[in-house]
Amino acid sequence: MLKNIYSPLSGAIAQERVLETIANNMANMNTVGFKGDRVTFTLLQPEPEKNYRDPLPPANYKVGVEQLMNIRGNEMAYVGIADVTRDEAQGPAISTGNPTDIMIEGEGLMAVNTPDGVRYTRNGSLAVSRDGVLANKDGMPIMGEKGNIVVRAGAFEINDSGEVWQDKHLLDRIQLFKIKEGESLERVGDNLLHYGGAPEGITTVAHPQMRQGFLEGSNVNAIKNLTDMIVAHRSYEAYQKAINDYDQMMQKSSNQIGDIRA
């Protein structure tokens, strides 16, 4: 019975992660270029034959070690977190008419030159810094094929393939990157992502698609996430009740079963 409590406990821990993920999604419903996360579960299979050290009974216990083999290893199944993946679905197009706003259509991430190194984002809400560099709202440069993209004072155009033109001169091209299947990106705040894998795990997009004067809205579905939050919360409550029931049974077994009455 002592081990039984760990099954609902593992479920409660998994639902806590679900609630944290959904809360983060809901908090970023209005964040430009935000991609929601989703949690997938896995069944942690029992390992009854795992070669743990043999349990030793008390000296006055008239049972041999061979009769205790059934308590070896882990004979129960538990739930665990398989992965937390990003929903790569395209967000809605928001028309702004602002020439420094760009929306990525399809796959791809822009590279941002930050003080901590290169970071990636789909947030196309850009601006021109005092030095004339195309940058994000925090002043960190967006990287092109030649490095930082420098635009002089005056109007400029970003075409569908990411080329930056000014006065009929090609200045640079905004690079878009993609990661290979199985690789992951870590959220580091400020709508930025960090890739810490092998260099060959991230490549450039061969045919990027962008739209100037638009922004990509968050792809978080408010109704679906709210429904998922209710389901996760109810599941968490059910696991809590099961844990409490097992706890009460263990209290009774400890306090009453061993009670010797004259």
Side-chain angles (χ1 to χ4, degrees):
M1 188 182 298
L2 179 61
K3 288 185 177 181
N4 292 345
I5 199 171
Y6 292 111
S7 286
L9 177 61
S10 68
I13 293 173
Q15 292 302 327
E16 276 188 354
R17 185 66 178 275
V18 173
L19 289 168
E20 290 173 358
T21 301
I22 294 174
N24 186 60
N25 288 345
M26 297 288 284
N28 287 280
M29 283 176 49
N30 297 317
T31 301
V32 175
F34 180 83
K35 301 293 186 182
D37 290 328
R38 53 191 172 194
V39 179
T40 54
F41 301 111
T42 185
L43 177 65
L44 303 179
Q45 297 287 352
E47 297 178 300
E49 304 302 325
K50 193 172 181 66
N51 191 24
Y52 295 142
R53 188 174 61 181
D54 291 334
L56 298 177
N60 60 348
Y61 195 60
K62 306 303 181 183
V63 175
V65 170
E66 66 279 357
Q67 294 175 270
L68 297 176
M69 291 296 289
N70 62 329
I71 69 172
R72 263 188 168 193
N74 162 33
E75 67 274 11
M76 299 187 66
Y78 304 99
V79 65
I81 300 297
D83 199 4
V84 180
T85 57
R86 295 172 68 235
D87 180 6
E88 298 295 345
Q90 183 78 36
I94 303 171
S95 177
T96 65
N98 189 341
T100 57
D101 288 341
I102 57 174
M103 183 184 79
I104 300 171
E105 292 187 298
E107 64 181 354
L109 297 162
M110 290 184 292
V112 184
N113 191 5
T114 77
D116 298 320
V118 177
R119 300 293 183 263
Y120 300 93
T121 187
R122 283 182 68 93
N123 184 357
S125 180
L126 309 180
V128 179
S129 70
R130 294 180 180 179
D131 299 329
V133 176
L134 193 63
N136 66 6
K137 293 298 185 181
D138 295 321
M140 292 180 282
I142 299 298
M143 297 181 66
E145 293 179 344
K146 303 175 184 178
N148 295 346
I149 302 172
V150 180
V151 294
R152 301 185 303 276
F156 61 90
E157 178 186 351
I158 302 174
N159 64 18
D160 293 346
S161 63
E163 293 176 340
V164 183
W165 291 79
Q166 190 173 45
D167 298 332
K168 299 183 180 181
H169 293 286
L170 176 61
L171 302 180
D172 205 340
R173 180 181 179 182
I174 299 174
Q175 279 193 307
L176 293 187
F177 297 85
K178 63 178 180 179
I179 63 169
K180 292 183 179 179
E181 186 176 351
E183 300 287 340
S184 61
L185 291 165
E186 177 188 1
R187 297 190 188 278
V188 292
D190 296 325
N191 210 1
L192 298 174
L193 302 167
H194 174 243
Y195 174 70
E200 58 270 17
I202 189 161
T203 58
T204 57
V205 177
H207 304 288
Q209 292 293 319
M210 303 183 197
R211 294 174 67 183
Q212 188 177 21
F214 288 81
L215 290 175
E216 180 188 13
S218 170
N219 70 349
V220 173
N221 186 313
I223 301 301
K224 184 181 185 304
N225 275 265
L226 185 59
T227 303
D228 290 344
M229 178 176 285
I230 294 172
V231 172
H233 189 265
R234 292 288 184 264
S235 299
Y236 185 79
E237 288 180 336
Y239 287 128
Q240 278 189 314
K241 185 177 184 304
I243 292 170
N244 185 60
D245 290 343
Y246 278 123
D247 184 55
Q248 291 181 359
M249 284 190 285
M250 285 189 289
Q251 287 183 14
K252 288 183 179 181
S253 64
S254 299
N255 298 331
Q256 296 181 13
I257 294 177
D259 186 17
I260 300 177
R261 299 182 179 179

